[in-house]
Amino acid sequence: MRTLSLFIATTLDGYISKPNNDLSFLKLVEKAGEDYGYAEFTSTIDTIILGRKTYDWVVREIGNSHYDNGERNVYVITRTERQSVGKTTFYTGDLTELVR
């Protein structure tokens, strides 16, 4: 059986984003050269599942290679069908089935 892990950044009040899907709060705690364990964590996994709004923000702010490094599968959960890009699949199906 595979292990499913959650890695998430939240505000102190428990939100994943500010209104209008704004993730700029993440920049408030940025330190040069510090990734808070993200690279170490993602080096141990072969598949990433994330929401489309988070994906869009990260691609816009950081770039596509942040998730799709060519070595792991990336599933973006969305309601809108889109063509795959590299190893990134835009998934419109049942999330429970995808995890299984």
Side-chain angles (χ1 to χ4, degrees):
M1 179 181 352
R2 296 177 72 175
T3 300
L4 184 63
S5 301
L6 175 67
F7 190 97
I8 194 165
T10 61
T11 59
L12 291 175
D13 57 1
Y15 289 94
I16 297 171
S17 69
K18 292 169 50 178
N20 299 319
N21 304 308
D22 180 8
L23 298 175
S24 64
F25 75 91
L26 295 172
K27 294 181 184 232
L28 297 174
V29 296
E30 279 185 359
K31 292 181 184 175
E34 178 59 65
D35 76 347
Y36 304 96
Y38 187 79
E40 180 181 357
F41 171 72
T42 58
S43 73
T44 67
I45 60 176
D46 62 3
T47 304
I48 294 176
I49 302 171
L50 71 154
R52 196 240 342 131
K53 290 179 183 180
T54 300
Y55 173 82
D56 287 347
W57 189 88
V58 170
V59 167
R60 185 175 58 252
E61 296 293 321
I62 300 172
N64 187 48
S65 63
H66 183 73
Y67 292 121
D68 186 353
N69 65 0
E71 297 178 14
R72 61 179 157 245
N73 295 313
V74 179
Y75 291 91
V76 179
I77 308 306
T78 181
R79 291 186 181 114
T80 306
E81 290 189 20
R82 289 172 56 180
Q83 292 290 325
S84 295
V85 176
K87 294 192 77 155
T88 300
T89 300
F90 296 91
Y91 187 79
T92 59
D94 182 73
L95 184 55
T96 303
E97 291 300 315
L98 175 61
V99 171
R100 282 190 187 133

